[in-house]
Amino acid sequence: MKKALLAVAFTVSATFSFAQGKASTKPSLQLVRNATLILEYGGHKILVDPMLSAKGAIESWGGVERNPTVDLKMPVAEITKDLDLVLVTHTHADHFDEAASKLLPKSIELINQPADKDFFTKEGFTNATALEDNRTWQNLSIHRVEAQHGTGEILKMMGKTSGYVLKAKNQPTIYVVGDAIWTEEIKKNIKTFQPDYIIVNSGGAAVKGYEQSPILMEEVQTMALIKESGKAKVIAVHMDALDHCRTTRASLRKKADELKISRKKLLIPQDGETIAL
């Protein structure tokens, strides 16, 4: 009897310890490459904008070289293992490529913008949700917000893009801006959601023939966002991986240093690097 009671006590203790460990897991962000992120958030592993192709597998967009221009720093199996959710801001190949469509389980929970509903149906994803505004998923609150992928004629070519704001109890609020230029709408979103972290695609990308109309924030626009970011730390990604991105980690840091923006305020991770949130 004594042994049985001890066994039960150990089981309860072990279960409690595991639950405590699970609950106390700290959130983190890992930059895989470009805008592909792994978020450990609210006890879930979330993959954002998976571009999983090998170096050079996709056509050139800037007339320089094929994309992506660098290899992944980790095995694809490590990226896709034990995923709970995939978030897709839009379906350009640098955010959801053919490799991702083939490698991800078709039954994976996936949240996308309404403009991409037919795309994911065609690709055979059976558990994809086109998010109009916001929803509760598990213990998370997920809000979709608009993003503007350029101006004028180039915006018509780029089509619809979105961002997401993630909230959860005892977790920092995260604003994934998505592919966007700096706009009043983003400024309003920052004021509305008061994020603790803003993830911004700062590659300064431009389509060949439209070099004067960037489709992503570059150095100057990223600094404008930082000026309006309030308490948030800004994490800049989408650099040094595609041939049409003209802003580099080095040029972005140089501009930040000129304006005396601290490295605690603006974080610029390397591929494969993990940031504790």
Side-chain angles (χ1 to χ4, degrees), residues 35-60:
T36 304
L37 313 170
I38 295 173
L39 291 176
E40 296 285 352
Y41 188 76
H44 305 288
K45 181 180 178 181
I46 303 170
L47 181 62
V48 180
D49 282 357
M51 182 193 197
L52 304 179
S53 293
K55 178 182 177 181
I58 302 173
E59 65 184 338
S60 166

Side-chain angles (χ1 to χ4, degrees), residues 31 33-37 48-50 94-95 179 201 237-239:
L31 173 60
R33 180 184 58 188
N34 195 48
T36 304
L37 313 170
V48 180
D49 282 357
D94 55 330
H95 294 262
D179 270 9
N201 295 349
V237 299
H238 208 308
M239 290 171 284

Side-chain angles (χ1 to χ4, degrees), residues 48-259:
V48 180
D49 282 357
M51 182 193 197
L52 304 179
S53 293
K55 178 182 177 181
I58 302 173
E59 65 184 338
S60 166
W61 294 315
V64 180
E65 60 182 304
R66 290 179 65 85
N67 293 298
T69 60
V70 294
D71 286 314
L72 290 166
K73 297 288 187 182
M74 64 193 79
V76 170
E78 183 181 328
I79 298 167
T80 59
K81 182 182 178 182
D82 298 329
L83 284 177
D84 297 305
L85 179 67
V86 178
L87 277 180
V88 182
T89 61
H90 65 299
T91 54
H92 289 168
D94 55 330
H95 294 262
F96 194 91
D97 61 0
E98 186 177 343
S101 188
K102 288 180 177 178
L103 292 165
L104 291 171
K106 296 300 183 181
S107 60
I108 189 76
E109 287 230 41
L110 189 150
I111 292 177
N112 55 274
Q113 62 177 357
D116 295 328
K117 180 179 180 180
D118 291 344
F119 172 89
F120 285 107
T121 299
K122 184 178 178 181
E123 291 296 307
F125 285 88
T126 59
N127 212 3
T129 299
L131 184 59
E132 289 285 350
D133 183 16
N134 64 80
R135 67 170 291 195
T136 298
W137 179 84
Q138 305 281 354
N139 58 324
L140 310 184
S141 174
I142 302 175
H143 298 256
R144 186 184 69 83
V145 293
E146 298 293 331
Q148 185 178 321
H149 203 358
T151 54
E153 287 300 312
I154 195 68
L155 177 58
K156 295 177 185 177
M157 293 169 57
M158 291 296 101
K160 289 283 292 181
T161 59
S162 295
Y164 296 101
V165 179
L166 281 68
K167 292 173 168 266
K169 186 177 180 180
N170 299 322
Q171 300 285 298
T173 297
I174 300 174
Y175 179 10
V176 179
V177 176
D179 270 9
I181 57 171
W182 173 243
T183 61
E184 283 296 314
E185 185 73 20
I186 294 173
K187 184 177 176 180
K188 289 177 183 177
N189 289 336
I190 294 170
K191 289 183 177 179
T192 298
F193 293 103
Q194 295 289 300
D196 298 289
Y197 290 91
I198 301 171
I199 303 166
V200 56
N201 295 349
S202 296
V207 175
K208 191 176 180 182
Y210 295 86
E211 287 81 5
Q212 301 308 310
S213 301
I215 56 176
L216 293 181
M217 288 185 233
E218 26 70 289
E219 296 90 344
V220 173
Q221 290 191 17
T222 301
M223 298 306 120
L225 179 146
I226 291 171
K227 184 179 178 181
E228 301 293 339
S229 62
K231 66 178 181 179
K233 291 185 178 180
V234 176
I235 302 174
V237 299
H238 208 308
M239 290 171 284
D240 299 326
L242 303 174
D243 79 325
H244 69 320
C245 286
R246 299 179 295 176
T247 298
T248 65
R249 291 182 177 98
S251 67
L252 188 65
R253 179 62 72 194
K254 182 174 183 289
K255 175 60 72 174
D257 288 345
E258 288 172 1
L259 297 176

